[in-house]
Amino acid sequence: MKSGKLVLLSLVTILVLTGCGKKELTCTMSQTQNGVKMDSEVVIKFDGKTVEDMNMTMDVEIPESLQEQKELLKSSFEAQTFKVEESEKGLKLTADAESKFFKDLKLGESKASYDDTKEALEGQGFTCK
């Protein structure tokens, strides 16, 4: 009887810790285009086979030679409903599931699996864990 309770307690603990099918995928990518360096992180939370929530953070490092175009970049990202903040070396961008950026991708409407989403992001150059 005592070992039965221990097994049951272990099972409940595992279910609580794993979230009963809830998973989180974190992917990162660094790239440089036209002298602008971008470090991106995407965090996607799944509830079974449905995307429950997603967030993206990008640190954009703008070289001195392109500082004049900083405002143009800023307004371009704001048009996609990124939250844009000035940083020491450029811009810091954040977007959540409610942003136009993610809504245009229609990720929340799809029944994307964790594995398919991971494969797709890795195909775009992200490193996922």
Side-chain angles (χ1 to χ4, degrees), residues 15-127:
L15 287 174
V16 168
L17 291 176
T18 60
C20 300
K22 294 186 183 232
K23 288 185 176 182
E24 184 174 288
L25 178 64
T26 301
C27 302
T28 58
M29 177 172 51
S30 291
Q31 60 185 6
T32 302
Q33 292 180 344
N34 301 322
V36 177
K37 182 180 178 202
M38 293 184 284
D39 292 325
S40 306
E41 179 181 73
V42 178
V43 178
I44 303 174
K45 295 179 183 176
F46 295 86
D47 186 6
K49 290 192 175 207
T50 305
V51 174
E52 183 177 65
D53 192 22
M54 39 193 154
N55 294 290
M56 175 181 250
T57 305
M58 290 194 312
D59 288 315
V60 181
E61 188 176 316
I62 303 170
E64 194 64 40
S65 62
L66 297 174
Q67 286 295 316
E68 291 178 8
Q69 297 177 359
K70 187 176 186 176
E71 285 303 314
L72 179 63
L73 281 171
K74 185 177 178 180
S75 58
S76 160
F77 285 117
E78 287 173 336
Q80 292 293 314
T81 61
F82 276 91
K83 180 183 174 190
V84 181
E85 298 174 26
E86 301 268 339
S87 70
E88 188 177 316
K89 295 183 179 183
L91 302 170
K92 180 175 176 114
L93 315 168
T94 55
D96 60 19
E98 297 303 311
S99 70
K100 183 179 183 332
F101 174 77
F102 278 125
K103 284 185 177 180
D104 286 350
L105 294 176
K106 299 182 181 179
L107 291 175
E109 296 173 19
S110 66
K111 297 286 183 190
S113 73
Y114 175 94
D115 292 332
D116 290 343
T117 304
K118 180 179 179 185
E119 183 179 321
L121 286 169
E122 288 176 338
Q124 294 293 319
F126 283 88
T127 301

